[in-house]
């Protein structure tokens, strides 16, 4: 069987197949899985992507990683089924564009990865006797993206834990109105409590008869689909041989890892602009070579990027020959010179984010929400400092209608609600409520899922 093996960034676990990496998520040595070889896209193949649809490009790129894990026909069906929505590329000025990754069912870019991972895991579970239970904790967007991604996929159950006090009404309803194979549990505590309960369940021998797995942002199945839209943007916008620059608003560094893998596969990316909010541990590291995580993480209006220690950064370090363990300790420095030449990193605070939303609207009639505004501000900073004027694409990761209060206060307009978010008000919600108590949680799991 033709396949790529996946190694752990901590180097103390055996290599696994894509199927194993998808089903386990994290390596047993707490490292992250990475492909042993990065498949290449030739100039001819790159040229042949022009004019292709999003599902076609997804099938082409992912086939290079999937190889014989499932057939090309199965992969094609998964791509057509997962990517049944638009990927708008909006011209802002000259050769500068916004790519809107917000047209999926939960209106955030996480749909791209979650929907494909859900379908790939679903394909692996086809015909298996034992159900797989996906257990995940969320502070907002991830939970609904995962719930939607696995919704009604045979042989899979989903349980999402969330802190009701920390998620918005809209975010909660996106998870609790699905039903079927999706169960939601409101835990009267904080996001960290939810995460601790999930971790304890994974380590609990009493639950060994239930096949539990996580679907968090470190799963390789979340990473590979995030390579695709960079190729898609290039295929739509670039002239033959032209280089491209991407600006990626970053929190856990999964999205920008997609662009880095695209570059290593052969996409001619001149620069990856990494824009963080006030959680500036990576821009600081790029400047000084000293990494210190931010604990607790800083609260910013781009809340999905409030990350003081990005879980995927160990992968970035690995790609440049370094080694960072799961605690954030760097055992071997990466090649900083080549990192700095590939990437431009910048931290944008809330005040700058708000000014950017206002300025983009007033100068360019460009409607941004806080995450995309961080990316756009990063791109503007890069242009200022480098004088570069090439083909540039800034990534917008959420729909402005998810942040109506912020946008109305700044721009005096109410963003249109996309079809995916409509009708939530009328749907019936269903979820358990539970104190922060592991024994209660274990009973719920046993009662629901024990065979
Ligand atoms: C998760 C998220 C991000 C950050 O993406 P990472 O892959 O974690 O860097 C940015 N914007 C939105 C809207 C998100 O939900």
């Amino acid at each position: 069987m033709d396949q790529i093996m996946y190694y752990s960034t901590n180097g103390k676990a055996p290599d696994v197949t894509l199927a194993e990496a998808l089903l386990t998520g994290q390596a047993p040595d707490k490292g992250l899985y990475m492909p042993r070889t990065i498949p290449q896209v030739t100039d001819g193949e790159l040229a042949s992507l022009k004019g292709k649809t999003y599902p076609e490009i997804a099938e082409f790129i992912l086939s290079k990683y999937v190889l014989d894990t499932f057939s090309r026909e199965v992969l094609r069906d998964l791509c057509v089924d997962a990517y049944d929505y638009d990927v708008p590329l909006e011209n802002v000025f000259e050769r500068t564009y916004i790519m809107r990754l917000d047209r999926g069912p939960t209106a955030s870019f996480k749909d791209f990865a979650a929907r494909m991972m859900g379908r790939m895991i679903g394909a692996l579970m086809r015909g298996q006797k034992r159900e797989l239970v996906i257990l995940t904790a969320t502070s907002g967007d991830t939970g609904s993206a995962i719930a939607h991604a696995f919704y009604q996929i045979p042989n899979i159950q989903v349980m999402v834990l969330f802190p009701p006090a920390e998620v918005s009404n809209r975010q909660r309803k996106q998870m609790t109105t699905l039903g079927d194979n999706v169960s939601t549990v409101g835990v009267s505590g904080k996001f960290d409590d939810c995460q601790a309960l999930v971790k304890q369940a994974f380590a609990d021998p009493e639950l060994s008869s239930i096949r539990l797995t996580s679907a968090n942002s470190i799963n390789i199945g979340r990473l590979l689909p995030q390579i695709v839209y960079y190729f898609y943007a290039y295929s739509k916008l670039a002239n033959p041989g032209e280089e491209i620059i991407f600006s990626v608003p970053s929190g856990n560094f999964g999205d920008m890892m997609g662009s880095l893998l695209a570059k290593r596969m052969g996409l001619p990316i001149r620069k990856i602009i990494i824009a963080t909010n006030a959680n500036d541990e990576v821009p600081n590291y790029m400047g000084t070579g000293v990494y210190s995580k931010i604990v607790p993480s800083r609260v910013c209006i781009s809340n999905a990027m409030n990350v003081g220690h990005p879980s995927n950064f160990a992968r970035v370090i690995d790609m440049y020959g370094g080694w960072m363990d799961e605690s954030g300790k760097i055992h071997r420095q990466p090649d900083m010179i080549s990192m700095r030449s590939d990437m431009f990193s910048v931290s944008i605070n809330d005040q700058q984010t708000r000014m950017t939303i206002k300025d983009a609207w007033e100068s360019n009639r460009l409607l941004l929400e806080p995450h995309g505004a961080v990316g756009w501000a990063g791109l503007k900073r890069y242009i200022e400092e480098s004088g570069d004027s090439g083909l540039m694409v800034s990534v917008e990761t959420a729909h402005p209608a998810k942040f109506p209060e912020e946008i109305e206060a700044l721009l005096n307009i109410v963003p249109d609600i996309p079809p995916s978010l409509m009708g939530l008000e009328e749907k019936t919600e269903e979820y358990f409520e539970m104190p922060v108590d592991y024994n209660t949680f274990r009973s719920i799991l046993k009662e629901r899922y024990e065979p």
Side-chain angles (χ1 to χ4, degrees):
M1 188 161 137
D2 192 11
Q3 55 187 349
I4 292 175
M5 297 302 283
Y6 291 78
Y7 66 91
S8 163
T9 51
N10 278 347
K12 297 190 181 81
D15 284 13
V16 297
T17 62
L18 177 61
E20 289 166 309
L22 281 168
L23 292 174
T24 51
Q26 190 166 38
D29 63 358
K30 298 203 165 67
L32 309 179
Y33 284 121
M34 284 290 284
R36 272 271 168 228
T37 39
I38 295 178
Q40 297 299 300
V41 174
T42 64
D43 292 348
E45 287 175 324
L46 196 55
S48 76
L49 296 182
K50 212 156 196 66
K52 288 213 158 66
T53 64
Y54 195 91
E56 285 166 347
I57 293 178
E59 177 197 331
F60 173 76
I61 296 296
L62 293 173
S63 72
K64 292 183 175 276
Y65 290 91
V66 166
L67 297 173
D68 292 342
T69 306
F70 13 85
S71 72
R72 190 71 184 241
E73 289 66 41
V74 168
L75 181 63
R76 180 170 311 146
D77 289 347
L78 301 186
C79 290
V80 168
D81 189 48
Y83 301 121
D84 58 353
Y85 51 87
D86 278 353
V87 185
L89 284 153
E90 232 171 82
N91 183 239
V92 187
F93 54 78
E94 295 160 16
R95 298 281 289 143
T96 303
Y97 293 79
I98 280 280
M99 173 159 62
R100 295 199 184 268
L101 302 180
D102 60 355
R103 304 297 150 102
T106 70
S108 103
F109 91 101
K110 293 199 168 62
D111 287 327
F112 283 81
R115 279 167 77 79
M116 184 47 70
M117 176 178 61
R119 281 160 181 76
M120 289 200 285
I121 292 179
L124 293 174
M125 292 301 294
R126 254 176 230 167
Q128 295 222 3
K129 291 220 173 55
R130 234 169 118 203
E131 260 182 2
L132 186 69
V133 180
I134 310 271
L135 201 55
T136 192
T138 183
S139 56
D141 280 346
T142 308
S144 56
I146 294 294
H148 280 260
F150 288 101
Y151 178 56
Q152 292 185 328
I153 292 196
N155 264 340
I156 293 184
Q157 294 288 336
V158 184
M159 184 174 272
V160 184
L161 275 66
F162 69 98
E166 290 180 19
V167 308
S168 72
N169 274 340
R170 203 168 265 168
Q171 282 174 326
R172 190 190 65 247
K173 286 190 176 150
Q174 283 184 300
M175 307 184 264
T176 58
T177 55
L178 286 171
D180 204 300
N181 64 332
V182 174
S183 309
T184 35
V185 182
V187 178
S188 54
K190 301 173 76 65
F191 167 63
D192 293 342
D193 299 315
C194 299
Q195 209 164 26
L197 288 170
V198 167
K199 278 203 177 141
Q200 210 173 337
F202 283 129
D204 186 350
E206 270 200 50
L207 296 175
S208 59
S209 63
I210 306 173
R211 189 166 175 192
L212 290 174
T213 190
S214 74
N216 55 21
S217 68
I218 60 166
N219 192 301
I220 191 76
R222 292 279 294 277
L223 207 51
L224 302 179
Q226 291 175 174
I227 301 170
V228 175
Y229 37 75
Y230 297 103
F231 277 94
Y232 177 77
Y234 189 85
S235 78
K236 286 281 175 210
L237 302 174
N239 300 315
E242 194 177 15
E243 289 188 324
I244 190 166
I245 294 151
F246 287 106
S247 181
V248 188
S250 295
N252 261 322
F253 281 62
D255 198 356
M256 69 74 57
M257 258 306 291
S259 70
L260 198 50
L261 282 166
K263 183 174 166 66
R264 291 288 173 91
M265 290 176 75
L267 190 66
I269 302 180
R270 177 150 72 226
K271 208 56 126 180
I272 301 170
I273 302 164
I274 301 166
T276 70
N277 60 23
N279 291 283
D280 58 359
E281 62 283 355
V282 171
N284 283 344
Y285 172 71
M286 296 282 281
T288 62
V290 179
Y291 181 78
S292 27
K293 30 185 183 179
I294 295 174
V295 188
S297 55
R298 297 178 182 139
V299 176
C300 302
I301 54 172
S302 47
N303 60 1
M305 298 178 358
N306 293 342
V307 182
H309 173 41
S311 49
N312 275 299
F313 198 53
R315 283 188 165 120
V316 179
I317 299 266
D318 180 83
M319 284 189 80
Y320 288 91
W323 174 25
M324 173 192 263
D325 70 17
E326 68 284 357
S327 72
K329 185 170 161 32
I330 295 180
H331 298 264
R332 185 174 63 244
Q333 281 287 7
D335 177 354
M336 298 290 297
I337 294 169
S338 103
M339 258 173 107
R340 287 181 184 131
S341 114
D342 289 352
M343 299 179 233
F344 173 86
S345 71
V346 53
S347 158
I348 304 294
N349 66 26
D350 274 355
Q351 193 203 349
Q352 293 164 324
T353 307
R354 290 193 170 103
M355 272 171 43
T356 303
I357 293 176
K358 225 169 140 55
D359 178 64
W361 180 249
E362 282 163 9
S363 316
N364 307 104
R365 279 293 174 267
L366 169 64
L367 185 59
L368 297 173
E369 55 69 57
H371 305 82
V374 168
W376 185 248
L379 182 128
K380 295 298 267 298
R381 182 79 64 83
Y382 170 74
I383 294 175
E384 247 171 59
E385 289 191 14
S386 67
D388 205 332
S389 61
L391 173 59
M392 300 191 200
V393 176
S394 192
V395 176
E396 174 53 289
T397 49
H399 196 284
K402 288 187 121 178
F403 303 87
E405 299 84 5
E406 196 64 53
I407 286 170
E408 196 176 354
L410 288 165
L411 310 180
N412 238 332
I413 58 165
V414 182
D416 290 338
I417 297 182
S420 61
L421 298 180
M422 272 191 237
L424 271 180
E425 298 308 314
E426 294 81 56
K427 291 192 184 153
T428 11
E429 286 190 75
E430 200 185 329
Y431 62 98
F432 301 101
E433 284 176 283
M434 195 189 89
V436 184
D437 174 50
Y438 183 69
N439 287 329
T440 311
F441 182 47
R442 180 201 273 143
S443 317
I444 295 177
L445 286 171
K446 284 188 152 194
E447 194 191 320
R448 296 228 102 185
Y449 304 125
E450 211 155 55

